[in-house]
Amino acid sequence: MLEALLFASGEPLGVEELEKRLPGDHDIRALLTELQRQYATRGVNVVNVAGKWALRTAEDLSYLLRREQIEERRLSRAALETLAIIAYHQPVTRAEVEEIRGVSTSKGTLDVLMETGWVRMRGRRRTPGRPVTYGTTEAFLEHFSIAAIGDLPGLEELKGAGLLDSAVPANFQVPMPDDSSDLQEDEDPLEQTLLFDTADDEDGETDPR
């Protein structure tokens, strides 16, 4: 009867509660100890949890019940805008992204995009401060089911999808994206040490922290 009560209960049961449910006068603690001994070598154990008793999967078998689940996180609007700018304008620096967006872009936004594996550091622009240039990755193409970066929608497709205002300026053009791994003339390769130097930020300036 103790076994049945523990099996059916969705939460641990205390000794007093078990005594109320069982008929007759029994030494519940002794019975629980005996039940615990009998279950010690089974896939399910009788355990004492915060002074109460319950049936639990044996600890050495817990891996069988572990389930991996992908946690979906929505990108912020800033991250989506930054990703779109990088995709179309790569190689592009953080300052250039900010100029196109018209607002500042936090380093955290770029960090999130790199953590997803959709954006990578390409090189350093040959300008004062030698800022890092960014581009998209193969994982970006795979996630959005794009065969090549050149298959990103053009001006008319963006208009048709309602992603662009129909009253865009006459001279407005959507750049031709290029994710070639070859560095451009105004790019230098990333120094190997900088990939592991957390004290150096993406603008080439030393972090005072």
Side-chain angles (χ1 to χ4, degrees):
M1 287 187 285
L2 271 177
E3 184 180 34
L5 287 171
L6 294 176
F7 177 79
S9 178
E11 57 188 20
L13 298 174
V15 173
E16 292 183 359
E17 186 174 1
L18 290 169
E19 287 177 341
K20 292 177 182 179
R21 296 190 180 216
L22 288 178
D25 185 16
H26 302 281
D27 186 348
I28 301 299
R29 295 183 185 279
L31 291 174
L32 286 168
T33 301
E34 175 59 21
L35 200 60
Q36 187 177 44
R37 186 191 66 78
Q38 293 179 13
Y39 271 85
T41 58
R42 299 184 183 179
V44 177
N45 298 154
V46 175
V47 297
N48 190 310
V49 181
K52 297 184 177 183
W53 296 82
L55 286 171
R56 292 287 187 270
T57 302
E59 289 187 7
D60 60 337
L61 299 179
S62 61
Y63 71 94
L64 293 172
L65 305 181
R66 187 179 298 119
R67 182 177 66 179
E68 294 184 2
Q69 184 173 356
I70 297 176
E71 180 183 358
E72 294 185 359
R73 294 189 302 171
R74 290 185 177 275
L75 289 180
S76 66
R77 179 173 179 177
L80 287 172
E81 290 177 355
T82 301
L83 179 61
I85 291 170
I86 292 174
Y88 278 96
H89 293 265
Q90 58 187 307
V92 62
T93 67
R94 175 178 166 185
E96 291 166 345
V97 171
E98 292 177 345
E99 182 180 358
I100 295 171
R101 290 189 65 219
V103 294
S104 62
T105 300
S106 69
K107 185 176 183 296
T109 298
L110 288 167
D111 288 341
V112 168
L113 294 176
M114 286 193 288
E115 286 173 7
T116 61
W118 298 345
V119 169
R120 65 185 177 91
M121 294 189 294
R122 290 175 44 95
R124 287 188 175 273
R125 185 81 77 207
R126 293 179 183 173
T127 57
R130 303 185 66 230
V132 169
T133 56
Y134 297 92
T136 55
T137 65
E138 288 186 6
F140 168 80
L141 299 177
E142 292 172 2
H143 181 82
F144 292 97
S145 300
I146 302 173
I149 198 69
D151 292 334
L152 284 173
L155 179 60
E156 296 304 321
E157 291 173 294
L158 292 172
K159 282 184 179 180
L163 299 175
L164 280 182
D165 192 330
S166 58
V168 294
N171 61 346
F172 180 83
Q173 293 183 342
V174 174
M176 179 61 70
D178 179 13
D179 62 353
S180 171
S181 59
D182 297 332
L183 296 177
Q184 297 189 354
E185 293 182 358
D186 60 349
E187 285 183 290
D188 284 327
L190 283 168
E191 293 86 353
Q192 189 69 18
T193 55
L194 289 177
L195 293 176
F196 305 97
D197 186 1
T198 56
D200 207 16
D201 68 12
E202 74 279 5
D203 293 325
E205 297 176 352
T206 301
D207 191 331
R209 293 174 297 178

